[in-house]
Amino acid sequence: MKIKILLNIFLAIFLLTGCNATEKKDTVNQEYDLEKPEKFNMPESLFEISGITFNQGKNDTVYAIEDEDGKLFRLAWHVIKQYHTKFSKKGDYEDLCIVRDKVYVLKSNGVIFTFPLSEAVFEEAENVIELKKWLPKGEYEGMYGEEATGDLYVLCKNCPSDDSKKSVTGYVLNPSDTTKAVSTFAIDVDEIKAITGKVSRGFRPSGIAKNPLTGEWYMISAVNKLLIVTDKNWKVKSAFTLNGNLFIQPEGIAFDKEGSLYISSEGDDLFAGNILKFKRLRR
């Protein structure tokens, strides 16, 4: 009887310490606590915010677009007043980036608009270039700009050449040649499934950004309510299901130079469009 009691005590201690160790490991491995954001509600003009970015990671100004008007918006964090610059007529604009003092805006059909950042202080931008054949035909929502190389990384959301239940294609573009992509990359959906168990409707990314401190790629999907993280070679390392009460329709993603993560969501009948900021847990 004493031996049985001792065994039960030992088993209980083992299970408790084992569970605590697992919880601690999960906390250490996760770069951000996705349940504890700092929230910035958008003004009405950015109710349908669809993309966000910073200039060289400087978080004093948030640059944003929404998916109906051809306007570049700029705001200071937690300051509702916005300023904007018109660069085109109405359309379905999905993401943006700023690279080497130039603004790039991605339209859902793959057309990219670009103009000098210096013109963002005026009511309307001049010298706007519309690049219509840089990307193959398809539906696109995510774009990231690499300041060091000048490259743009664009993700397919729904492209004829893809089967989103198996693989999603990305394109690397460089402004030195606006007639074709420099190279391509792919996200293996089976690697996501191995973590999440399933990916309903296929993986349909709506945003992409690179963590400046780790070099890892972060991608969000509003359709799947997922955040996935890959290494530098696009191999999926982790995947997180996003809380639908926090992330209404997550479409924009960006990092500042300190490594804080920002995710923007469109509004709905109850909530304004917003940006959620997550400070990095590990230093």
Side-chain angles (χ1 to χ4, degrees):
M1 179 65 70
K2 289 183 178 179
I3 294 175
K4 187 176 181 179
I5 292 172
L6 288 172
L7 285 173
N8 287 335
I9 293 172
F10 176 80
L11 179 60
I13 292 172
F14 175 79
L15 290 174
L16 286 171
T17 55
C19 289
N20 288 337
T22 302
E23 290 172 5
K24 185 176 181 181
K25 182 179 179 182
D26 288 345
T27 302
V28 170
N29 284 342
Q30 188 170 313
E31 295 282 339
Y32 304 91
D33 186 341
L34 298 176
E35 295 292 330
K36 296 180 179 179
E38 181 182 342
K39 187 177 182 181
F40 179 18
N41 284 330
M42 294 290 97
E44 181 63 28
S45 57
L46 280 164
F47 179 81
E48 295 192 30
I49 185 171
S50 57
I52 54 173
T53 195
F54 299 104
N55 182 24
Q56 299 181 31
K58 293 179 286 188
N59 61 14
D60 57 339
T61 303
V62 180
Y63 294 89
I65 56 169
E66 54 91 48
D67 67 4
E68 290 188 355
D69 293 326
K71 296 177 180 178
L72 171 69
F73 296 84
R74 60 191 192 279
L75 311 89
W77 187 252
H78 279 322
V79 177
I80 289 294
K81 185 176 181 179
Q82 55 81 17
Y83 300 91
H84 63 262
T85 299
K86 183 176 180 180
F87 63 86
S88 186
K89 59 184 180 181
K90 288 183 176 293
D92 189 7
Y93 302 99
E94 295 294 347
D95 211 349
L96 79 162
C97 62
I98 298 172
V99 182
R100 297 182 175 182
D101 295 323
K102 285 192 175 182
V103 178
Y104 295 87
V105 179
L106 175 68
K107 205 172 181 180
S108 63
N109 62 0
V111 173
I112 294 177
F113 294 80
T114 182
F115 56 93
L117 178 60
S118 59
E119 297 188 12
V121 297
F122 302 116
E123 290 186 5
E124 188 165 349
E126 297 180 357
N127 303 309
V128 178
I129 299 174
E130 185 177 354
L131 301 166
K132 294 184 177 181
K133 297 182 180 180
W134 208 358
L135 287 164
K137 289 184 178 180
E139 183 181 0
Y140 301 86
E141 286 199 2
M143 179 170 64
Y144 168 79
E146 181 69 75
E147 183 73 18
T149 61
D151 290 336
L152 312 182
Y153 294 78
V154 183
L155 270 177
C156 277
K157 179 185 179 183
N158 187 19
C159 290
S161 60
D162 284 348
D163 180 347
S164 61
K165 293 184 178 180
K166 295 181 179 179
S167 181
V168 173
T169 301
Y171 295 90
V172 183
L173 312 175
N174 190 282
S176 62
D177 185 354
T178 58
T179 63
K180 62 182 184 301
V182 174
S183 61
T184 62
F185 58 93
I187 308 302
D188 188 338
V189 180
D190 283 338
E191 293 178 358
I192 303 174
K193 292 178 182 177
I195 300 171
T196 63
K198 64 177 181 178
V199 180
S200 60
R201 300 172 61 184
F203 181 55
R204 299 182 183 275
S206 50
I208 178 173
K210 181 192 272 189
N211 187 322
L213 303 184
T214 66
E216 296 168 323
W217 292 97
Y218 282 59
M219 296 163 221
I220 52 168
S221 171
V223 172
N224 307 110
K225 285 290 195 296
L226 276 178
L227 171 68
I228 73 164
V229 183
T230 79
D231 64 17
K232 298 175 183 179
N233 298 313
W234 309 104
K235 182 174 177 60
V236 178
K237 296 178 63 177
S238 53
F240 305 94
T241 300
L242 299 175
N243 182 342
N245 292 323
L246 279 177
F247 302 89
I248 307 302
Q249 188 172 329
E251 294 202 351
I253 184 169
F255 287 91
D256 64 24
K257 61 184 178 181
E258 297 172 352
S260 293
L261 168 65
Y262 300 75
I263 297 177
S264 64
S265 286
E266 290 189 10
D268 64 8
D269 293 339
L270 297 176
F271 300 99
N274 63 66
I275 302 175
L276 304 180
K277 176 181 179 180
F278 303 88
K279 292 184 178 180
R280 191 166 181 252
L281 295 177
R282 295 192 289 179
R283 296 293 178 182

